[in-house]
């Protein structure tokens, strides 16, 4: 049985820099797997809704694209309920601790490692800029890359906050993401999907616009 991708949209709040401002936000939670086994990318806001989407399948991993609170707030509760392993790049531990001071992730993501689930092979691409430990997950077999908040339809993720850096995110996008095949579907942390080919021509515009 071929792996499939499911999208769940959850709603909650994003808190900037540990409390300097709060906004309502909708997040994409991605499930990759089959009828028996699944992984979750970014356990946002609502552990109950995510657990319902997982159903009676075995949840093997909760992969965090980065540690801003709106992408990780439901991860511990979901892990406790399912026994899944929480994966995070270690460079984002300071951000993680702002939301979950008493609970560490279970395992550290490493650039180039492959996370397997039900026939899907997700290669970890370390793409700092939006956050120091931001990662994207590329599955060439499925023709997709999960970009978290690194790349959206219309440009790079925001960098006007602590631990973020505009030249770094541009470098990550140019070297890691735009090198992927143009027809690669970009599945983002918020909003609609795009493709590498649709975004690549706009790199210079983003540089000119700056942040």
């Amino acid at each position: 049985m071929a792996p499939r991708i499911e999208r769940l949209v959850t709603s909650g709040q994003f808190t900037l820099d540990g409390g300097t401002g709060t906004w309502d936000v909708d997040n994409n939670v991605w499930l990759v797997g089959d009828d028996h086994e699944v992984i979750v990318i970014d356990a946002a806001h609502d552990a109950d809704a995510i657990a319902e989407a997982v159903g009676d399948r075995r949840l093997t991993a909760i992969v965090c694209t980065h540690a801003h609170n709106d992408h990780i707030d439901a991860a511990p509760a979901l892990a406790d309920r399912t026994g899944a392993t929480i994966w995070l790049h270690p460079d984002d531990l300071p951000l993680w601790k702002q939301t979950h001071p008493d609970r560490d992730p279970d395992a550290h993501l490493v650039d180039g490692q492959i996370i397997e689930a039900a026939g899907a092979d997700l290669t970890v691409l370390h793409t700092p800029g939006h956050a120091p430990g931001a990662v994207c997950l590329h599955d060439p077999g499925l023709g997709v890359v999960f970009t978290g908040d690194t790349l959206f339809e219309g440009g790079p993720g925001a960098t006007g906050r602590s631990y973020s850096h505009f030249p770094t995110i541009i470098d990550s996008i140019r070297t890691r993401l735009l090198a992927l095949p143009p027809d690669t579907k970009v599945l983002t942390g918020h909003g609609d999907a795009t493709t590498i080919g649709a975004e690549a021509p706009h790199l210079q515009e983003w540089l000119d616009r700056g942040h």
Side-chain angles (χ1 to χ4, degrees):
M1 184 182 301
R4 64 181 183 270
I5 298 168
E6 301 159 51
R7 175 193 184 202
L8 172 70
V9 179
T10 59
S11 300
Q13 291 188 320
F14 167 65
T15 303
L16 181 65
D17 288 347
T20 58
T22 300
W23 293 266
D24 293 333
V25 65
D26 294 332
N27 283 63
N28 293 328
V29 179
W30 299 102
L31 291 82
V32 184
D34 60 15
D35 289 342
H36 308 288
E37 182 179 270
V38 67
I39 68 169
V40 162
I41 300 169
D42 288 346
H45 307 309
D46 192 337
D48 290 338
I50 301 169
E52 186 175 332
V54 170
D56 59 4
R57 294 177 288 183
R58 185 165 73 97
L59 179 60
T60 58
I62 300 165
V63 184
C64 307
T65 61
H66 63 294
H68 286 144
N69 74 290
D70 57 320
H71 291 256
I72 62 166
D73 48 5
L78 185 63
D80 290 346
R81 181 182 303 197
T82 61
T85 300
I86 300 173
W87 291 83
L88 178 74
H89 193 283
D91 289 357
D92 257 21
L93 280 172
L95 282 168
W96 172 276
K97 288 294 189 182
Q98 291 181 5
T99 302
H100 301 301
D102 301 320
R103 165 73 180 265
D104 287 337
D106 302 306
H108 288 167
L109 294 169
V110 178
D111 185 64
Q113 85 179 85
I114 294 176
I115 305 245
E116 299 178 16
D121 292 316
L122 297 166
T123 300
V124 175
L125 307 176
H126 183 209
T127 52
H130 180 70
V135 301
C136 298
L137 302 163
H138 176 228
D139 188 324
L142 293 174
V144 301
V145 61
F146 299 91
T147 56
D149 288 1
T150 295
L151 179 63
F152 292 103
E153 181 185 31
T159 51
R161 61 200 62 187
S162 299
Y163 300 104
S164 64
H165 189 241
F166 181 71
T168 301
I169 199 173
I170 289 293
D171 190 56
S172 292
I173 292 170
R174 181 174 56 231
T175 61
R176 307 307 304 273
L177 297 181
L178 299 188
L180 300 176
D183 61 351
T184 302
K185 194 169 186 180
V186 176
L187 301 180
T188 58
H190 309 270
D192 296 330
T194 181
T195 65
I196 294 296
E199 302 306 320
H202 302 291
L203 179 64
Q204 189 58 49
E205 294 171 29
W206 306 334
L207 284 166
D208 294 341
R209 194 167 69 209
H211 272 245

